């Protein structure tokens, strides 16, 4: 009886703490969205908890602003993140399959090597990377943001763990007996089996690349190639006090809200995927 | 004889399949790393439009970095990381224990998980920009606090050392506590129910269960979270960079190591940037070694078991 009462007490406390934390997580985004619907004049008057009516006007102002080509930035970000997610998951799956299904001399060495660089920060090679890209003539282009994601150790590790648990070698052998080539076996048999793992990692690498700021900021110079995080940084660097505040909130909204919407649709898979992925990006 | 030939022909495919990964790694990570290490021994920078160097100077760059503010920035990075990490791990442990405790009957568990994980996916730079506008002296937070009568004068959050560091810490906390909670929860759920039941029979209360069973049982994943968070903290850049516009203001007290590296890269001081990268490389190499040991010993965060579960 006593312990039941204590449990009830604890349950109430747990719920209160959870509500407070959830409030903290959502509060800032709530203000953001509300402010994005209000005009500059409204915003000067002070804070209001209710949305205003200038949503479309702010949106139009952002779309027409030549100094911060937000929509062009979103397009660039979509290209970079989409391509990175695609090639990162495909080649990680390929590498994982290569190390899982075949026996060769350097197998152990290769695996150990990838595990050793699993969490190596990209920043430590940034200087050489910048020089290399400049020498290769890819400075100020989107390609150097996409191609290096072929080698993503953490995605590889995830794919490898998944293969270990879900691909019986007998399946591969059966397809060999049926006269399937090795590449065909991978594309037609192994890839469909890995679909759940690929979906989870595609989401995470997409988000990682969408939010990436350090490397793009070093490489991209011209306005029409900027991705969203660089545009946000440029906005911060500008003399923003003279700007239309409604427009600024709208720009931040445009940078943040698409990911939130996608997340809400896929949250079930994403939450399940966090513990699968294990390694933070 | 026949089987031997067969295995050789398949081995070829193994090499072909892992080739793209290693070629890409070699070109985009290994060559840059070698280049970075090489130029760390050179005097090589740009002043105006004139390029000075590269002249070999040996360990000069390393020495002058030690005499510069690098150690101070390392301290800043550590402080900023701690301000975020201590509440993060504390709250995450608490929430994970609550979520895993079926007796508490948490309503809307999925909803809370979705909400607390949300900030992790937000673009850190946009999040920092948002905090910058919200917490500016004429921003909404000051507005709300003043209209509630809690403040007479607006607080200049970004003007004080304490304010800026707290904001960075708060953002890091918000961005990562949901992720940590879900990781720790998976670990706690992995503990056999028998152990908890046995402890209950022996008269353990929930606090004792937490200290004597849950904590020791999830120690591997706690250590893993810690190391991963240190590596993440070492790379801290987006949030303080955008919040302070790369200045690390006030008076460079929120300047992190990567911000320092970034400023050298922007000003094309390759020698210094190289030496700083090598320092960072050594530190992260040591941390990588710990992660390597953990991931190879006994699969501490149960990714294999979890992958099996997802398959069903």
């Amino acid at each position: 009886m006593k312990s039941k009462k204590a449990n009830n007490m604890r349950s109430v406390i747990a719920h209160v703490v959870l509500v407070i934390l959830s409030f903290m997580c959502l509060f800032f985004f709530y203000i953001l969205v509300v402010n994005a619907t209000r005009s500059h004049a409204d915003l000067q008057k002070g804070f209001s908890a209710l949305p205003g009516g200038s949503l479309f006007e702010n949106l139009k102002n952002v779309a027409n602003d030549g100094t911060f080509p937000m929509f062009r930035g979103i397009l660039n970000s979509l290209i970079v993140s989409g391509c990175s997610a695609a090639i990162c998951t495909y080649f990680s799956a390929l590498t994982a399959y290569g190390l899982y299904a075949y026996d060769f001399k350097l197998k152990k060495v290769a695996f150990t090597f990838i595990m050793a660089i699993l969490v190596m920060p990209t920043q430590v090679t940034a200087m050489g990377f910048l020089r290399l890209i400049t020498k290769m003539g890819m400075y100020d282009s989107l390609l150097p943001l996409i191609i290096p994601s072929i080698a993503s150790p953490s995605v590889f590790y995830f794919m490898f763990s998944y293969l270990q648990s879900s691909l019986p070698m007998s399946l591969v052998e059966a397809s060999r007996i049926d006269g399937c080539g090795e590449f065909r076996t991978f594309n037609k048999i192994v890839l469909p089996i890995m679909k759940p793992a690929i979906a989870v990692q595609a989401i995470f690498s997409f988000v990682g690349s969408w939010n990436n700021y350090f490397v793009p900021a070093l490489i991209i110079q011209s306005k029409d190639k900027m991705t969203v995080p660089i545009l946000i940084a440029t906005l911060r660097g500008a003399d923003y006090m003279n700007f239309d505040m409604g427009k600024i909130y709208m720009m931040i909204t445009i940078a943040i809200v698409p990911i939130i919407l996608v997340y809400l649709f896929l949250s079930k898979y994403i939450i399940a995927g966090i513990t699968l992925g294990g390694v933070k990006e | 004889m026949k089987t031997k030939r067969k295995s050789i022909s398949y081995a070829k495919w193994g090499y072909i399949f892992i080739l793209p990964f290693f070629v890409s790694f070699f070109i985009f990570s290994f060559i840059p790393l070698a280049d970075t290490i090489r130029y760390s021994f050179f005097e090589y920078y740009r002043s105006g439009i004139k390029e000075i160097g590269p002249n070999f100077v040996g360990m000069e760059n390393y020495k002058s970095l030690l005499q510069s503010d690098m150690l101070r920035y390392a301290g800043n990075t550590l402080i900023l990381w701690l301000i975020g990490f201590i509440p993060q791990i504390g709250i995450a442990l608490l929430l994970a224990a609550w979520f895993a405790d079926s007796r508490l009957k948490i309503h809307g568990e999925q909803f809370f998980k979705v909400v607390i994980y949300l900030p992790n996916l937000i673009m850190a730079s946009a999040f920092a920009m948002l905090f910058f506008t919200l917490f500016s002296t004429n921003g909404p937070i000051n507005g709300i606090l003043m209209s509630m009568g809690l403040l007479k004068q607006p607080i200049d959050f970004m003007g004080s050392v304490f304010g800026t560091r707290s904001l960075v810490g708060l953002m890091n906390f918000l961005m990562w506590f949901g992720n940590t909670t879900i990781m720790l929860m998976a670990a706690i759920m992995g503990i056999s129910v028998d152990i908890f039941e046995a402890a209950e029979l022996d008269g353990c209360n929930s606090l004792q269960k937490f200290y004597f069973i849950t904590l020791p049982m999830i120690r591997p994943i706690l250590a893993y979270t810690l190391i991963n968070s240190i590596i993440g903290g070492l790379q801290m850049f987006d949030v303080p960079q955008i919040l302070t516009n790369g200045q690390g203001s006030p008076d460079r007290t929120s300047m992190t190591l990567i911000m320092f590296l970034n400023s050298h890269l922007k000003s094309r001081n390759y020698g210094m940037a190289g030496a700083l990268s090598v320092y960072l490389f050594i530190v992260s190499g040591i941390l990588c070694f710990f992660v390597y040991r953990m991931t190879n010993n006994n699969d501490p965060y149960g990714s294999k078991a979890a992958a099996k579960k997802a398959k069903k």
Side-chain angles (χ1 to χ4, degrees), chain B residues 148-175:
Chain B
M148 280 163 75
L150 291 172
L151 286 180
K152 286 215 174 71
Q153 293 273 307
I155 304 177
D156 187 8
F157 288 100
M158 259 77 72
S160 70
V161 179
F162 178 76
T164 314
R165 284 179 173 172
S166 310
L167 282 184
V168 174
L170 176 63
M171 272 184 271
N172 282 329
F173 162 72
L174 281 178
M175 282 166 68

Side-chain angles (χ1 to χ4, degrees), chain A residues 11 15 22 97 102 112 117 123 128-129 131-132 157 164 166 176 182 210-211 217 236 263 275 279, chain B residues 10 17 25 27 32 35-36 39 44 104 107 112 114 121 123 186 224 235 242-243 266 292 301 304 311:
Chain A
S11 178
H15 279 93
S22 306
Y97 178 68
Y102 299 100
T112 311
I117 56 165
Q123 285 92 332
F129 185 71
R131 283 176 47 85
L132 178 81
Y157 179 59
Q164 275 183 328
S166 57
R176 273 177 195 159
E182 295 300 308
W210 178 271
N211 295 345
R236 174 64 182 87
Y263 169 65
T275 42
V279 181
Chain B
Y10 282 135
F17 280 15
F25 178 82
I27 296 175
D35 199 47
T36 306
Y39 280 104
Y44 190 16
L104 285 181
H107 295 286
F112 285 125
V114 169
L121 294 176
M123 188 183 292
Y224 177 81
Q235 299 176 56
I242 303 280
L243 191 72
K266 283 276 174 198
Y292 174 77
Y301 46 99
K304 279 164 209 158
K311 207 184 107 196

Side-chain angles (χ1 to χ4, degrees), chain A residues 7 10-11 13-15 17-19 21-22 24-29 31-32 35 47 91 94-95 97-99 102-106 110-121 123-129 131-133 138-139 147-148 150-153 157 161-162 164-166 176 182-183 186 204 207 210-211 213-214 217-218 228-229 232-233 235-237 240-241 245 248-249 252 255-256 259-260 263-264 267 270-271 274-276 278-280, chain B residues 10-11 13-18 20-22 24-25 27-29 31-33 35-36 39 44 91 95 98-99 101 103-107 112-119 121-123 125-127 129-136 140-141 144 170 173-174 176-177 179 182-183 186 206 224 228 231 235 237-238 241-245 258 261-262 265-266 268 270 273-274 277 280-281 284-285 288 291-292 295-296 299 301 303-304 306-308 310-311:
Chain A
N7 264 333
R10 285 180 56 225
S11 178
I13 295 172
H15 279 93
V17 170
L18 276 170
V19 168
L21 285 169
S22 306
M24 274 173 71
C25 289
L26 295 175
F27 176 64
F28 301 111
F29 303 116
I31 305 185
L32 170 67
N35 280 356
F47 176 71
F91 283 103
L94 190 71
T95 314
Y97 178 68
L99 281 178
Y102 299 100
D103 275 315
F104 47 95
K105 243 191 219 155
L106 296 176
F111 186 78
T112 311
F113 180 75
I114 299 180
M115 293 311 286
I117 56 165
L118 194 58
V119 284
M120 188 48 93
Q123 285 92 332
V124 298
T125 59
M127 183 219 132
F129 185 71
R131 283 176 47 85
L132 178 81
I133 294 303
M138 290 202 287
Y139 186 71
I147 301 173
I150 291 175
S152 317
Y157 179 59
S161 307
Y162 192 84
Q164 275 183 328
S165 68
S166 57
R176 273 177 195 159
E182 295 300 308
F183 256 107
F186 175 73
F204 280 114
V207 172
W210 178 271
N211 295 345
Y213 168 54
F214 184 79
L218 287 177
V228 179
I232 296 286
L235 182 66
R236 174 64 182 87
Y240 98 112
M241 278 302 167
M245 285 308 289
I248 289 183
Y249 283 114
I252 306 176
I256 287 179
I259 289 281
I260 297 188
Y263 169 65
L264 292 182
S267 60
I270 295 179
I271 300 275
I274 305 161
T275 42
L276 292 179
V279 181
K280 286 180 196 173
Chain B
Y10 282 135
W13 287 100
Y15 287 114
I16 292 173
F17 280 15
I18 67 167
F21 184 101
F22 281 92
S24 165
F25 178 82
I27 296 175
F28 294 109
S29 296
I31 295 178
L33 182 64
D35 199 47
T36 306
Y39 280 104
Y44 190 16
I91 296 275
L95 293 189
W98 280 344
F99 276 133
D101 192 341
R103 294 215 182 136
L104 285 181
K105 296 192 195 75
I106 304 276
H107 295 286
F112 285 125
K113 273 196 229 163
V114 169
V115 169
I116 61 174
Y117 186 67
L118 173 73
L121 294 176
I122 300 297
M123 188 183 292
S125 44
F127 198 38
M129 181 68 200
L130 174 63
F131 264 56
F132 174 71
T133 43
L134 292 185
F135 284 87
S136 64
I141 298 288
I144 293 171
L170 176 63
F173 162 72
L174 281 178
W176 286 104
F177 85 98
N179 183 294
I182 290 165
M183 298 267 286
S206 50
Y224 177 81
N228 248 334
I231 294 174
Q235 299 176 56
F237 173 68
D238 296 18
Q241 170 83 11
I242 303 280
L243 191 72
T244 66
N245 200 13
I258 300 291
L261 175 66
N262 188 58
L265 286 173
K266 283 276 174 198
R268 312 254 153 186
Y270 290 129
S277 302
L280 288 168
F281 177 71
S284 44
C288 274
V291 172
Y292 174 77
T295 41
N296 280 279
D299 192 33
Y301 46 99
S303 68
K304 279 164 209 158
K308 252 181 214 150
K311 207 184 107 196

Side-chain angles (χ1 to χ4, degrees), chain B residues 42 126 163 196 212:
Chain B
F42 284 82
F196 285 112
F212 296 116

Side-chain angles (χ1 to χ4, degrees), chain A residues 246-258:
Chain A
K247 202 167 82 182
I248 289 183
Y249 283 114
M250 189 45 117
M251 283 184 189
I252 306 176
T253 309
I254 292 173
I256 287 179
V257 169

Side-chain angles (χ1 to χ4, degrees), chain B residues 45-52:
Chain B
Y45 61 94
R46 188 174 287 181
S47 88
I49 44 166
K50 222 171 73 188
E51 225 170 54
I52 314 257

